[in-house]
Amino acid sequence: MKKIYSLLAVAILMLMVSCDDKVTFTPGPESSVKGTGVFFYSYDAQNIVDIESDSVDIWVMRTDSTASQDVPVIIEETTNKLHFAEKVHFEKGDTAAILWLTYDNMLEGEEHTFKLRIPDEYANPYAEKEGSTRMQSSIFRAKWENVCDTLIFGPADNAYPDQGCNLQRLPGRNRFRFTNFLGSGQPLEFSLKTGYDKDNIYQSKGQIVPLTNVYEDGDYWYFTNGGNYDSWTPVGGTKEIDYVMFYNYETYCFLDLNYSQTTAEELKYNGLTFLSDYSAHYCMLTAWVVYTDGTSGWQYIYLYLGYKPDNEPIKQ
């Protein structure tokens, strides 16, 4: 019995000692700045630029806008064809500013990578933010090639005249663009979600997945028209479009690049005659169009790929 009491006493003593021990916690180092954390806003891993352009805007954000601020940027990796501003300047009251990146003598098909970092004394690692204090990206000078001789947007309800543009692609990549989307004057770059044939693009068919000039919202995507949702009037139209929303499904927004000479028909546009295989291989966008006069409605927009009679694609 005494042995049992002795063991019980030892257990109680150990419990008392453990209760007296204080748990110590060493917090991480405090942020170098209090609430003024600077970071790169969400960015593309690759910036595809046209031959006409010579600069890219890199958006830099901060969490405190109470005072004006000059923030240097550390360039960890670059090439001699890329040129950066030494610092980014925030005016009092601004949470966003632009770091200028320019480039010169870049040939089509060239790609140049770079790495940037916000100095530690300006970065707040504990602040909630929509970006990073480090940035790794590249500039790729596109070499776009025409897929067909013309592409025509034809609204089924004839709300505005047919709109023409070029359908182009980056060779070797699942990346395309409409050079003038729905007569807005702005391009729309996209890829095919399924059905892309890298060996013969004229056997490709799949859902259009927009990559630029777009805001995605679950089942829908919005054409942002230059990022500002600017309204526009299609060429020859009488009503101004406020904005357009598209169904984000393969059966509603798809492109079919297949072409067969046996089913091709004549298509006339802008005084010219083309061949188009729109009966056997048609393409379509399904859109909710809102006009500035307050009217709106669903619109089926057919896409016609036209080829000059002496410039047809590879026969299928």
Side-chain angles (χ1 to χ4, degrees), residues 107-147:
L107 303 177
E108 290 183 332
E110 279 190 4
E111 184 171 12
H112 294 264
T113 60
F114 61 91
K115 293 181 181 179
L116 307 177
R117 179 168 64 87
I118 302 296
D120 293 341
E121 59 269 29
Y122 296 92
N124 187 344
Y126 303 110
E128 184 177 348
K129 48 189 176 289
E130 298 179 85
S132 171
T133 57
R134 295 176 180 270
M135 176 180 183
Q136 181 173 348
S137 187
S138 68
I139 303 294
F140 174 72
R141 171 140 276 170
K143 185 178 181 180
W144 295 97
E145 292 183 352
N146 287 342
V147 173

mmCIF file of all heavy atoms in Angstrom, residues 107-147:
data_model
loop_
_atom_site.group_PDB
_atom_site.id
_atom_site.type_symbol
_atom_site.label_atom_id
_atom_site.label_comp_id
_atom_site.label_asym_id
_atom_site.label_seq_id
_atom_site.Cartn_x
_atom_site.Cartn_y
_atom_site.Cartn_z
ATOM 1 N N LEU A 107 13.472 40.819 -82.087
ATOM 2 C CA LEU A 107 12.952 40.235 -83.314
ATOM 3 C C LEU A 107 11.718 39.384 -83.026
ATOM 4 O O LEU A 107 11.500 38.946 -81.890
ATOM 5 C CB LEU A 107 14.033 39.376 -83.974
ATOM 6 C CG LEU A 107 15.354 40.085 -84.316
ATOM 7 C CD1 LEU A 107 16.350 39.085 -84.895
ATOM 8 C CD2 LEU A 107 15.118 41.240 -85.279
ATOM 9 N N GLU A 108 10.919 39.159 -84.052
ATOM 10 C CA GLU A 108 9.761 38.295 -83.903
ATOM 11 C C GLU A 108 10.209 36.893 -83.486
ATOM 12 O O GLU A 108 11.174 36.356 -84.023
ATOM 13 C CB GLU A 108 8.976 38.218 -85.214
ATOM 14 C CG GLU A 108 8.247 39.504 -85.570
ATOM 15 C CD GLU A 108 7.431 39.356 -86.842
ATOM 16 O OE1 GLU A 108 7.807 38.525 -87.693
ATOM 17 O OE2 GLU A 108 6.430 40.066 -86.976
ATOM 18 N N GLY A 109 9.521 36.330 -82.517
ATOM 19 C CA GLY A 109 9.859 35.001 -82.038
ATOM 20 C C GLY A 109 10.864 34.993 -80.907
ATOM 21 O O GLY A 109 11.102 33.942 -80.300
ATOM 22 N N GLU A 110 11.447 36.148 -80.556
ATOM 23 C CA GLU A 110 12.399 36.232 -79.451
ATOM 24 C C GLU A 110 11.667 36.309 -78.116
ATOM 25 O O GLU A 110 10.597 36.908 -78.014
ATOM 26 C CB GLU A 110 13.303 37.459 -79.584
ATOM 27 C CG GLU A 110 14.466 37.289 -80.529
ATOM 28 C CD GLU A 110 15.459 38.442 -80.434
ATOM 29 O OE1 GLU A 110 15.283 39.328 -79.573
ATOM 30 O OE2 GLU A 110 16.397 38.450 -81.227
ATOM 31 N N GLU A 111 12.296 35.719 -77.086
ATOM 32 C CA GLU A 111 11.747 35.786 -75.738
ATOM 33 C C GLU A 111 12.863 36.153 -74.763
ATOM 34 O O GLU A 111 13.956 35.590 -74.817
ATOM 35 C CB GLU A 111 11.111 34.459 -75.331
ATOM 36 C CG GLU A 111 10.454 34.508 -73.972
ATOM 37 C CD GLU A 111 9.628 33.252 -73.673
ATOM 38 O OE1 GLU A 111 9.767 32.268 -74.432
ATOM 39 O OE2 GLU A 111 8.856 33.257 -72.689
ATOM 40 N N HIS A 112 12.594 37.105 -73.876
ATOM 41 C CA HIS A 112 13.575 37.563 -72.889
ATOM 42 C C HIS A 112 12.951 37.510 -71.500
ATOM 43 O O HIS A 112 11.881 38.074 -71.268
ATOM 44 C CB HIS A 112 14.041 38.989 -73.210
ATOM 45 C CG HIS A 112 14.805 39.095 -74.491
ATOM 46 N ND1 HIS A 112 16.181 39.070 -74.543
ATOM 47 C CD2 HIS A 112 14.387 39.198 -75.779
ATOM 48 C CE1 HIS A 112 16.587 39.170 -75.802
ATOM 49 N NE2 HIS A 112 15.508 39.253 -76.577
ATOM 50 N N THR A 113 13.626 36.832 -70.577
ATOM 51 C CA THR A 113 13.114 36.652 -69.230
ATOM 52 C C THR A 113 13.706 37.677 -68.272
ATOM 53 O O THR A 113 14.786 38.234 -68.525
ATOM 54 C CB THR A 113 13.413 35.246 -68.703
ATOM 55 O OG1 THR A 113 14.840 35.047 -68.692
ATOM 56 C CG2 THR A 113 12.787 34.194 -69.597
ATOM 57 N N PHE A 114 13.000 37.895 -67.165
ATOM 58 C CA PHE A 114 13.508 38.807 -66.141
ATOM 59 C C PHE A 114 12.940 38.425 -64.781
ATOM 60 O O PHE A 114 11.894 37.781 -64.679
ATOM 61 C CB PHE A 114 13.169 40.265 -66.469
ATOM 62 C CG PHE A 114 11.693 40.550 -66.564
ATOM 63 C CD1 PHE A 114 10.969 40.967 -65.449
ATOM 64 C CD2 PHE A 114 11.018 40.413 -67.771
ATOM 65 C CE1 PHE A 114 9.618 41.238 -65.534
ATOM 66 C CE2 PHE A 114 9.661 40.688 -67.868
ATOM 67 C CZ PHE A 114 8.956 41.096 -66.736
ATOM 68 N N LYS A 115 13.682 38.811 -63.737
ATOM 69 C CA LYS A 115 13.250 38.613 -62.350
ATOM 70 C C LYS A 115 13.393 39.926 -61.598
ATOM 71 O O LYS A 115 14.432 40.592 -61.687
ATOM 72 C CB LYS A 115 14.093 37.537 -61.660
ATOM 73 C CG LYS A 115 13.916 36.135 -62.197
ATOM 74 C CD LYS A 115 14.782 35.152 -61.407
ATOM 75 C CE LYS A 115 14.638 33.735 -61.945
ATOM 76 N NZ LYS A 115 15.496 32.782 -61.191
ATOM 77 N N LEU A 116 12.355 40.277 -60.847
ATOM 78 C CA LEU A 116 12.357 41.515 -60.068
ATOM 79 C C LEU A 116 12.013 41.201 -58.618
ATOM 80 O O LEU A 116 11.355 40.204 -58.318
ATOM 81 C CB LEU A 116 11.332 42.509 -60.643
ATOM 82 C CG LEU A 116 11.412 42.841 -62.132
ATOM 83 C CD1 LEU A 116 10.272 43.777 -62.513
ATOM 84 C CD2 LEU A 116 12.752 43.455 -62.485
ATOM 85 N N ARG A 117 12.407 42.117 -57.723
ATOM 86 C CA ARG A 117 12.106 41.934 -56.306
ATOM 87 C C ARG A 117 11.927 43.289 -55.632
ATOM 88 O O ARG A 117 12.655 44.241 -55.924
ATOM 89 C CB ARG A 117 13.218 41.142 -55.610
ATOM 90 C CG ARG A 117 13.002 40.929 -54.119
ATOM 91 C CD ARG A 117 13.972 39.899 -53.562
ATOM 92 N NE ARG A 117 15.365 40.326 -53.660
ATOM 93 C CZ ARG A 117 15.982 41.069 -52.732
ATOM 94 N NH1 ARG A 117 15.315 41.494 -51.660
ATOM 95 N NH2 ARG A 117 17.250 41.385 -52.882
ATOM 96 N N ILE A 118 10.955 43.372 -54.753
ATOM 97 C CA ILE A 118 10.775 44.562 -53.928
ATOM 98 C C ILE A 118 11.763 44.488 -52.770
ATOM 99 O O ILE A 118 11.856 43.448 -52.107
ATOM 100 C CB ILE A 118 9.335 44.647 -53.381
ATOM 101 C CG1 ILE A 118 8.320 44.660 -54.524
ATOM 102 C CG2 ILE A 118 9.172 45.875 -52.490
ATOM 103 C CD1 ILE A 118 8.424 45.861 -55.429
ATOM 104 N N PRO A 119 12.532 45.534 -52.487
ATOM 105 C CA PRO A 119 13.475 45.489 -51.366
ATOM 106 C C PRO A 119 12.780 45.170 -50.045
ATOM 107 O O PRO A 119 11.624 45.549 -49.825
ATOM 108 C CB PRO A 119 14.068 46.902 -51.349
ATOM 109 C CG PRO A 119 13.875 47.409 -52.738
ATOM 110 C CD PRO A 119 12.594 46.811 -53.218
ATOM 111 N N ASP A 120 13.486 44.455 -49.168
ATOM 112 C CA ASP A 120 12.894 44.001 -47.909
ATOM 113 C C ASP A 120 12.345 45.152 -47.073
ATOM 114 O O ASP A 120 11.325 44.996 -46.397
ATOM 115 C CB ASP A 120 13.934 43.228 -47.097
ATOM 116 C CG ASP A 120 14.329 41.916 -47.763
ATOM 117 O OD1 ASP A 120 13.562 41.453 -48.631
ATOM 118 O OD2 ASP A 120 15.395 41.371 -47.419
ATOM 119 N N GLU A 121 13.000 46.298 -47.104
ATOM 120 C CA GLU A 121 12.552 47.402 -46.254
ATOM 121 C C GLU A 121 11.233 48.016 -46.704
ATOM 122 O O GLU A 121 10.636 48.819 -45.983
ATOM 123 C CB GLU A 121 13.630 48.488 -46.174
ATOM 124 C CG GLU A 121 14.036 49.100 -47.495
ATOM 125 C CD GLU A 121 15.206 48.390 -48.145
ATOM 126 O OE1 GLU A 121 15.370 47.169 -47.906
ATOM 127 O OE2 GLU A 121 15.950 49.053 -48.888
ATOM 128 N N TYR A 122 10.779 47.655 -47.916
ATOM 129 C CA TYR A 122 9.493 48.150 -48.411
ATOM 130 C C TYR A 122 8.427 47.064 -48.446
ATOM 131 O O TYR A 122 7.256 47.350 -48.676
ATOM 132 C CB TYR A 122 9.651 48.734 -49.815
ATOM 133 C CG TYR A 122 10.539 49.942 -49.878
ATOM 134 C CD1 TYR A 122 11.903 49.803 -50.128
ATOM 135 C CD2 TYR A 122 10.028 51.220 -49.685
ATOM 136 C CE1 TYR A 122 12.728 50.911 -50.190
ATOM 137 C CE2 TYR A 122 10.848 52.335 -49.743
ATOM 138 C CZ TYR A 122 12.205 52.169 -49.994
ATOM 139 O OH TYR A 122 13.016 53.276 -50.054
ATOM 140 N N ALA A 123 8.851 45.819 -48.261
ATOM 141 C CA ALA A 123 7.927 44.692 -48.404
ATOM 142 C C ALA A 123 7.409 44.264 -47.036
ATOM 143 O O ALA A 123 8.161 44.190 -46.067
ATOM 144 C CB ALA A 123 8.634 43.527 -49.082
ATOM 145 N N ASN A 124 6.131 43.974 -46.963
ATOM 146 C CA ASN A 124 5.514 43.491 -45.738
ATOM 147 C C ASN A 124 5.026 42.068 -45.976
ATOM 148 O O ASN A 124 3.966 41.869 -46.558
ATOM 149 C CB ASN A 124 4.348 44.395 -45.338
ATOM 150 C CG ASN A 124 3.779 44.015 -43.980
ATOM 151 O OD1 ASN A 124 4.028 42.933 -43.469
ATOM 152 N ND2 ASN A 124 3.011 44.914 -43.402
ATOM 153 N N PRO A 125 5.775 41.066 -45.509
ATOM 154 C CA PRO A 125 5.388 39.677 -45.796
ATOM 155 C C PRO A 125 4.118 39.234 -45.092
ATOM 156 O O PRO A 125 3.527 38.216 -45.439
ATOM 157 C CB PRO A 125 6.601 38.872 -45.299
ATOM 158 C CG PRO A 125 7.209 39.739 -44.242
ATOM 159 C CD PRO A 125 7.007 41.149 -44.706
ATOM 160 N N TYR A 126 3.665 39.992 -44.091
ATOM 161 C CA TYR A 126 2.486 39.592 -43.321
ATOM 162 C C TYR A 126 1.211 40.246 -43.822
ATOM 163 O O TYR A 126 0.126 39.925 -43.349
ATOM 164 C CB TYR A 126 2.688 39.928 -41.841
ATOM 165 C CG TYR A 126 3.927 39.294 -41.261
ATOM 166 C CD1 TYR A 126 5.032 40.058 -40.919
ATOM 167 C CD2 TYR A 126 4.002 37.913 -41.091
ATOM 168 C CE1 TYR A 126 6.185 39.473 -40.402
ATOM 169 C CE2 TYR A 126 5.139 37.319 -40.581
ATOM 170 C CZ TYR A 126 6.233 38.099 -40.234
ATOM 171 O OH TYR A 126 7.358 37.517 -39.739
ATOM 172 N N ALA A 127 1.314 41.155 -44.763
ATOM 173 C CA ALA A 127 0.130 41.852 -45.265
ATOM 174 C C ALA A 127 -0.618 40.959 -46.253
ATOM 175 O O ALA A 127 -0.015 40.258 -47.060
ATOM 176 C CB ALA A 127 0.521 43.163 -45.937
ATOM 177 N N GLU A 128 -1.935 40.979 -46.176
ATOM 178 C CA GLU A 128 -2.743 40.251 -47.151
ATOM 179 C C GLU A 128 -2.722 41.011 -48.469
ATOM 180 O O GLU A 128 -2.982 42.213 -48.512
ATOM 181 C CB GLU A 128 -4.179 40.124 -46.645
ATOM 182 C CG GLU A 128 -5.064 39.299 -47.564
ATOM 183 C CD GLU A 128 -6.464 39.124 -47.025
ATOM 184 O OE1 GLU A 128 -6.679 39.449 -45.837
ATOM 185 O OE2 GLU A 128 -7.326 38.672 -47.782
ATOM 186 N N LYS A 129 -2.397 40.321 -49.555
ATOM 187 C CA LYS A 129 -2.223 41.003 -50.825
ATOM 188 C C LYS A 129 -2.562 40.084 -51.982
ATOM 189 O O LYS A 129 -2.620 38.873 -51.837
ATOM 190 C CB LYS A 129 -0.788 41.508 -50.968
ATOM 191 C CG LYS A 129 0.286 40.481 -50.639
ATOM 192 C CD LYS A 129 1.641 41.125 -50.594
ATOM 193 C CE LYS A 129 2.728 40.138 -50.166
ATOM 194 N NZ LYS A 129 2.629 39.775 -48.747
ATOM 195 N N GLU A 130 -2.803 40.694 -53.164
ATOM 196 C CA GLU A 130 -3.179 39.936 -54.356
ATOM 197 C C GLU A 130 -1.992 39.811 -55.306
ATOM 198 O O GLU A 130 -2.143 39.905 -56.511
ATOM 199 C CB GLU A 130 -4.331 40.631 -55.073
ATOM 200 C CG GLU A 130 -5.593 40.738 -54.255
ATOM 201 C CD GLU A 130 -6.678 41.451 -55.032
ATOM 202 O OE1 GLU A 130 -7.378 40.784 -55.814
ATOM 203 O OE2 GLU A 130 -6.812 42.675 -54.861
ATOM 204 N N GLY A 131 -0.834 39.611 -54.777
ATOM 205 C CA GLY A 131 0.341 39.517 -55.616
ATOM 206 C C GLY A 131 1.522 39.016 -54.817
ATOM 207 O O GLY A 131 1.371 38.333 -53.806
ATOM 208 N N SER A 132 2.717 39.380 -55.251
ATOM 209 C CA SER A 132 3.927 38.874 -54.626
ATOM 210 C C SER A 132 4.989 39.967 -54.589
ATOM 211 O O SER A 132 4.972 40.902 -55.394
ATOM 212 C CB SER A 132 4.448 37.669 -55.419
ATOM 213 O OG SER A 132 5.724 37.267 -54.968
ATOM 214 N N THR A 133 5.916 39.844 -53.661
ATOM 215 C CA THR A 133 7.035 40.787 -53.594
ATOM 216 C C THR A 133 8.147 40.395 -54.563
ATOM 217 O O THR A 133 9.130 41.107 -54.678
ATOM 218 C CB THR A 133 7.596 40.858 -52.165
ATOM 219 O OG1 THR A 133 7.991 39.539 -51.752
ATOM 220 C CG2 THR A 133 6.543 41.392 -51.203
ATOM 221 N N ARG A 134 7.963 39.278 -55.246
ATOM 222 C CA ARG A 134 8.909 38.836 -56.273
ATOM 223 C C ARG A 134 8.153 38.597 -57.572
ATOM 224 O O ARG A 134 6.996 38.198 -57.564
ATOM 225 C CB ARG A 134 9.642 37.557 -55.853
ATOM 226 C CG ARG A 134 10.552 37.734 -54.651
ATOM 227 C CD ARG A 134 11.178 36.418 -54.231
ATOM 228 N NE ARG A 134 12.040 36.579 -53.082
ATOM 229 C CZ ARG A 134 13.327 36.850 -53.135
ATOM 230 N NH1 ARG A 134 13.921 36.970 -54.334
ATOM 231 N NH2 ARG A 134 14.051 36.995 -52.055
ATOM 232 N N MET A 135 8.824 38.816 -58.685
ATOM 233 C CA MET A 135 8.190 38.650 -59.977
ATOM 234 C C MET A 135 9.161 37.986 -60.943
ATOM 235 O O MET A 135 10.318 38.396 -61.064
ATOM 236 C CB MET A 135 7.761 40.019 -60.535
ATOM 237 C CG MET A 135 7.165 39.968 -61.933
ATOM 238 S SD MET A 135 6.686 41.618 -62.518
ATOM 239 C CE MET A 135 5.961 41.210 -64.103
ATOM 240 N N GLN A 136 8.706 36.938 -61.599
ATOM 241 C CA GLN A 136 9.482 36.270 -62.640
ATOM 242 C C GLN A 136 8.601 36.156 -63.878
ATOM 243 O O GLN A 136 7.541 35.538 -63.831
ATOM 244 C CB GLN A 136 9.950 34.898 -62.187
ATOM 245 C CG GLN A 136 10.784 34.164 -63.243
ATOM 246 C CD GLN A 136 11.390 32.874 -62.709
ATOM 247 O OE1 GLN A 136 11.380 32.618 -61.513
ATOM 248 N NE2 GLN A 136 11.917 32.062 -63.611
ATOM 249 N N SER A 137 9.025 36.745 -64.972
ATOM 250 C CA SER A 137 8.198 36.794 -66.171
ATOM 251 C C SER A 137 9.096 36.896 -67.401
ATOM 252 O O SER A 137 10.322 36.797 -67.303
ATOM 253 C CB SER A 137 7.228 37.980 -66.083
ATOM 254 O OG SER A 137 6.316 37.966 -67.149
ATOM 255 N N SER A 138 8.476 37.117 -68.556
ATOM 256 C CA SER A 138 9.242 37.247 -69.785
ATOM 257 C C SER A 138 8.476 38.096 -70.788
ATOM 258 O O SER A 138 7.266 38.300 -70.661
ATOM 259 C CB SER A 138 9.539 35.872 -70.405
ATOM 260 O OG SER A 138 8.346 35.273 -70.889
ATOM 261 N N ILE A 139 9.205 38.585 -71.781
ATOM 262 C CA ILE A 139 8.636 39.310 -72.910
ATOM 263 C C ILE A 139 8.848 38.441 -74.148
ATOM 264 O O ILE A 139 9.973 38.040 -74.455
ATOM 265 C CB ILE A 139 9.322 40.672 -73.117
ATOM 266 C CG1 ILE A 139 9.236 41.520 -71.846
ATOM 267 C CG2 ILE A 139 8.713 41.407 -74.299
ATOM 268 C CD1 ILE A 139 7.837 41.929 -71.471
ATOM 269 N N PHE A 140 7.753 38.133 -74.831
ATOM 270 C CA PHE A 140 7.832 37.323 -76.049
ATOM 271 C C PHE A 140 7.263 38.134 -77.206
ATOM 272 O O PHE A 140 6.105 38.539 -77.173
ATOM 273 C CB PHE A 140 7.044 36.020 -75.889
ATOM 274 C CG PHE A 140 6.960 35.196 -77.147
ATOM 275 C CD1 PHE A 140 8.074 34.521 -77.624
ATOM 276 C CD2 PHE A 140 5.775 35.112 -77.860
ATOM 277 C CE1 PHE A 140 8.001 33.770 -78.783
ATOM 278 C CE2 PHE A 140 5.693 34.365 -79.022
ATOM 279 C CZ PHE A 140 6.812 33.688 -79.483
ATOM 280 N N ARG A 141 8.093 38.416 -78.190
ATOM 281 C CA ARG A 141 7.632 39.171 -79.349
ATOM 282 C C ARG A 141 6.952 38.222 -80.322
ATOM 283 O O ARG A 141 7.568 37.320 -80.887
ATOM 284 C CB ARG A 141 8.787 39.898 -80.019
ATOM 285 C CG ARG A 141 8.432 40.527 -81.355
ATOM 286 C CD ARG A 141 9.070 41.883 -81.510
ATOM 287 N NE ARG A 141 8.297 42.936 -80.887
ATOM 288 C CZ ARG A 141 8.728 44.184 -80.723
ATOM 289 N NH1 ARG A 141 9.934 44.526 -81.109
ATOM 290 N NH2 ARG A 141 7.962 45.084 -80.153
ATOM 291 N N ALA A 142 5.653 38.414 -80.478
ATOM 292 C CA ALA A 142 4.846 37.480 -81.248
ATOM 293 C C ALA A 142 5.137 37.573 -82.738
ATOM 294 O O ALA A 142 5.486 38.625 -83.259
ATOM 295 C CB ALA A 142 3.365 37.762 -80.994
ATOM 296 N N LYS A 143 4.949 36.447 -83.389
ATOM 297 C CA LYS A 143 4.990 36.381 -84.838
ATOM 298 C C LYS A 143 3.672 35.752 -85.280
ATOM 299 O O LYS A 143 3.567 34.537 -85.475
ATOM 300 C CB LYS A 143 6.180 35.553 -85.330
ATOM 301 C CG LYS A 143 6.341 35.553 -86.847
ATOM 302 C CD LYS A 143 7.568 34.758 -87.272
ATOM 303 C CE LYS A 143 7.734 34.800 -88.789
ATOM 304 N NZ LYS A 143 8.932 34.027 -89.225
ATOM 305 N N TRP A 144 2.669 36.582 -85.392
ATOM 306 C CA TRP A 144 1.335 36.085 -85.711
ATOM 307 C C TRP A 144 1.228 35.740 -87.194
ATOM 308 O O TRP A 144 1.773 36.434 -88.039
ATOM 309 C CB TRP A 144 0.282 37.127 -85.365
ATOM 310 C CG TRP A 144 0.170 37.435 -83.903
ATOM 311 C CD1 TRP A 144 0.737 38.471 -83.237
ATOM 312 C CD2 TRP A 144 -0.562 36.689 -82.919
ATOM 313 N NE1 TRP A 144 0.410 38.432 -81.904
ATOM 314 C CE2 TRP A 144 -0.390 37.347 -81.687
ATOM 315 C CE3 TRP A 144 -1.357 35.540 -82.977
ATOM 316 C CZ2 TRP A 144 -0.981 36.882 -80.505
ATOM 317 C CZ3 TRP A 144 -1.937 35.079 -81.803
ATOM 318 C CH2 TRP A 144 -1.752 35.740 -80.592
ATOM 319 N N GLU A 145 0.527 34.641 -87.483
ATOM 320 C CA GLU A 145 0.271 34.230 -88.857
ATOM 321 C C GLU A 145 -1.230 34.103 -89.066
ATOM 322 O O GLU A 145 -1.961 33.627 -88.182
ATOM 323 C CB GLU A 145 0.948 32.885 -89.152
ATOM 324 C CG GLU A 145 2.464 32.948 -89.158
ATOM 325 C CD GLU A 145 3.083 31.606 -89.518
ATOM 326 O OE1 GLU A 145 2.317 30.605 -89.617
ATOM 327 O OE2 GLU A 145 4.308 31.540 -89.695
ATOM 328 N N ASN A 146 -1.700 34.509 -90.237
ATOM 329 C CA ASN A 146 -3.115 34.388 -90.558
ATOM 330 C C ASN A 146 -3.495 32.923 -90.732
ATOM 331 O O ASN A 146 -2.797 32.159 -91.402
ATOM 332 C CB ASN A 146 -3.450 35.154 -91.838
ATOM 333 C CG ASN A 146 -3.439 36.658 -91.629
ATOM 334 O OD1 ASN A 146 -3.514 37.144 -90.504
ATOM 335 N ND2 ASN A 146 -3.344 37.400 -92.717
ATOM 336 N N VAL A 147 -4.608 32.538 -90.140
ATOM 337 C CA VAL A 147 -5.142 31.193 -90.308
ATOM 338 C C VAL A 147 -5.963 31.106 -91.596
ATOM 339 O O VAL A 147 -5.954 30.090 -92.289
ATOM 340 C CB VAL A 147 -6.013 30.808 -89.089
ATOM 341 C CG1 VAL A 147 -6.711 29.472 -89.320
ATOM 342 C CG2 VAL A 147 -5.157 30.743 -87.829
#
